[in-house]
Amino acid sequence: MDVFLELALILIVAKLFGYLTVRLGFPAALGQLIGGMLIGPSILGIVSYDEGVRLLAELGVVMLLFLAGLETDVEEFKHVGIPAFIVASMGVLIPFILGYLGALVWGYPHVQALFLGGVLTATSVGLTTSILMEMKKLRTRVGTTILAAAVVDDVLGIIVLTILVGINTRGSVYAKDLLIILGEVAVYFLLGLLVGTPAVKEALKASEKITLPETVTAMAIAIMLIFAYLAEQFQIAGITGAYLAGILVATTEEARKVTDKTVTIGYSLFIPIFLVSIGIESDVRILTTAGTFALVYALLAIIGKIIGCGLGAVFAKFKPIEALQVGVGMVPRMEVALIMANVALQERVFNRGTFAIPVTMVVVTTIVTPFLLKWAFSKE
């Protein structure tokens, strides 16, 4: 199908299916996910999902996290640093142990079991962010903690992957490898905050002097893309950089104007494409061919994050219901988990059959998260 028709169909499906699920009392993201599955290769096969559409989807998730940063309560964010670290740490440790032990019990070799445990440490909050924004829960203590914990989780995931690759290739891990990663992350955030804060303010202020339509918004989006690019250069996910850019722009005088315009741009094109694309890329056919352990592994992925992040939230003095909400919000896996699984494939730790196990887990966690979030927040 022609790319223009694909985009038109994706947008129609996003709004139509999103509206239907909202009428049924569920988040719009669930309908967009289901709509994507319907038109994707696993069911009707109408959309081929070429590189052009994929690029727009990637811009969609970056813009979604940029908006999350813009709508983050900065003062609240300052207070969730330690709780977020505790949540992320427990949310890495418990899933890793469950995945590792589960694979060992099922008869997988030691190194394969380590990588299967490592894949479960990842978190992808793009879907969660969309749902929390829709439910007006993003600016709460729970929402802010989930986003901050996801940033920490990203760093911890890189460290876990480095350790696993080192064990596989050398049988050990050098301390300098970990120090280099931690140094790069520290430099990125320090430069982002110390240099980025005044630079963002001056750039937006200067852009107001250019008398062309929407120059301030264009400059803010450029800042978003620059931060995303720099994050990837420092081995951090681009969405983390976009989120940091959003937080910095939120402290400027132009924040309200930028937010309003970005919401219009994002939700009219890029974000719906991203949400539908999750469904398009979720090949539900694999659920019919996946072995029993693939489904057990997906269950361990869900339980691991709910228990791990939930316990971390309890340790950080959250109420039990808030701890449950934090745990559920950290359940989805997507790009980071698939990247880790792909590294295992390249390292020849996984074969194609083993690789299908994390793919199944990604599909399952993506499907169940909207239902779990709806249920968790209905308990308030």
Side-chain angles (χ1 to χ4, degrees):
M1 182 184 292
D2 183 87
V3 65
F4 293 133
L5 291 179
E6 282 194 354
L7 291 172
L9 179 60
I10 288 171
L11 292 175
I12 292 169
V13 165
K15 297 306 179 184
L16 179 60
F17 279 76
Y19 172 73
L20 290 174
T21 49
V22 168
R23 289 296 300 269
L24 293 172
F26 292 97
L30 174 62
Q32 292 162 339
L33 173 66
I34 293 171
M37 290 179 177
L38 183 64
I39 64 175
S42 62
I43 299 181
L44 296 179
I46 300 173
V47 176
S48 60
Y49 199 58
D50 66 10
E51 287 303 313
V53 179
R54 192 182 302 276
L55 174 60
L56 294 179
E58 290 175 3
L59 287 172
V61 67
V62 168
M63 191 165 286
L64 183 61
L65 268 292
F66 178 61
L67 272 172
L70 284 169
E71 298 193 10
T72 294
D73 186 329
V74 178
E75 290 305 313
E76 182 67 42
F77 190 84
K78 293 177 182 177
H79 291 101
V80 300
I82 294 177
F85 182 80
I86 297 172
V87 167
S89 299
M90 293 295 291
V92 166
L93 179 63
I94 301 300
F96 177 83
I97 292 173
L98 288 179
Y100 172 65
L101 293 179
L104 279 184
V105 169
W106 216 266
Y108 283 88
H110 175 65
V111 175
Q112 277 193 354
L114 284 173
F115 271 87
L116 285 168
V119 171
L120 292 192
T121 64
T123 291
S124 178
V125 293
L127 181 60
T128 297
T129 301
S130 173
I131 296 170
L132 291 179
M133 291 174 75
E134 185 182 339
M135 297 171 68
K136 310 297 183 186
K137 300 293 184 181
L138 190 66
R139 290 177 65 87
T140 63
R141 186 183 180 212
V142 168
T144 306
T145 300
I146 289 172
L147 286 171
V151 173
V152 179
D153 188 284
D154 184 34
V155 176
L156 294 178
I158 295 170
I159 293 172
V160 168
L161 184 60
T162 302
I163 291 172
L164 294 179
V165 171
I167 290 173
N168 182 55
T169 56
R170 299 192 297 264
S172 62
V173 180
Y174 295 119
K176 69 176 183 180
D177 294 334
L178 301 182
L179 290 175
I180 289 172
I181 292 172
L182 291 174
E184 288 180 339
V185 171
V187 168
Y188 175 77
F189 281 103
L190 282 174
L191 288 177
L193 293 172
L194 297 179
V195 179
T197 301
V200 166
K201 289 182 178 179
E202 289 301 319
L204 291 179
K205 189 178 294 183
S207 68
E208 288 192 315
K209 298 176 181 178
I210 301 175
T211 56
L212 290 174
E214 305 301 341
T215 302
V216 174
T217 305
M219 181 62 70
I221 292 174
I223 290 169
M224 170 194 81
L225 295 172
I226 290 169
F227 270 75
Y229 166 77
L230 291 175
E232 292 185 342
Q233 301 310 301
F234 282 87
Q235 299 189 55
I236 306 171
I239 57 175
T240 300
Y243 180 59
L244 177 60
I247 290 176
L248 296 183
V249 173
T251 63
T252 67
E253 296 177 358
E254 296 80 11
R256 189 68 264 161
K257 182 192 300 183
V258 170
T259 301
D260 292 342
K261 298 295 183 180
T262 307
V263 165
T264 301
I265 296 169
Y267 281 97
S268 61
L269 179 63
F270 297 102
I271 295 172
I273 292 174
F274 160 65
L275 292 169
V276 173
S277 76
I278 299 175
I280 294 173
E281 291 199 289
S282 299
D283 190 346
V284 293
R285 292 172 300 185
I286 199 170
L287 299 181
T288 63
T289 58
T292 305
F293 179 67
L295 299 178
V296 171
Y297 184 72
L299 183 61
L300 292 175
I302 296 167
I303 294 172
K305 283 295 182 183
I306 292 176
I307 293 177
C309 296
L311 279 177
V314 170
F315 294 155
K317 310 298 184 184
F318 280 77
K319 297 175 184 177
I321 185 59
E322 292 176 330
L324 174 64
Q325 291 164 352
V326 169
V328 169
M330 298 288 283
V331 164
R333 274 57 158 215
M334 207 170 300
E335 60 280 332
V336 177
L338 292 176
I339 288 169
M340 295 177 78
N342 194 56
V343 169
L345 191 64
Q346 293 172 349
E347 293 282 323
R348 297 185 179 179
V349 176
F350 288 177
N351 55 31
R352 286 292 172 184
T354 312
F355 183 75
I357 295 170
V359 173
T360 302
M361 179 272 295
V362 168
V363 173
V364 172
T365 57
T366 299
I367 292 172
V368 303
T369 295
F371 293 101
L372 290 176
L373 280 172
K374 172 72 175 179
W375 169 74
F377 279 93
S378 70
K379 299 295 180 181
E380 290 182 322

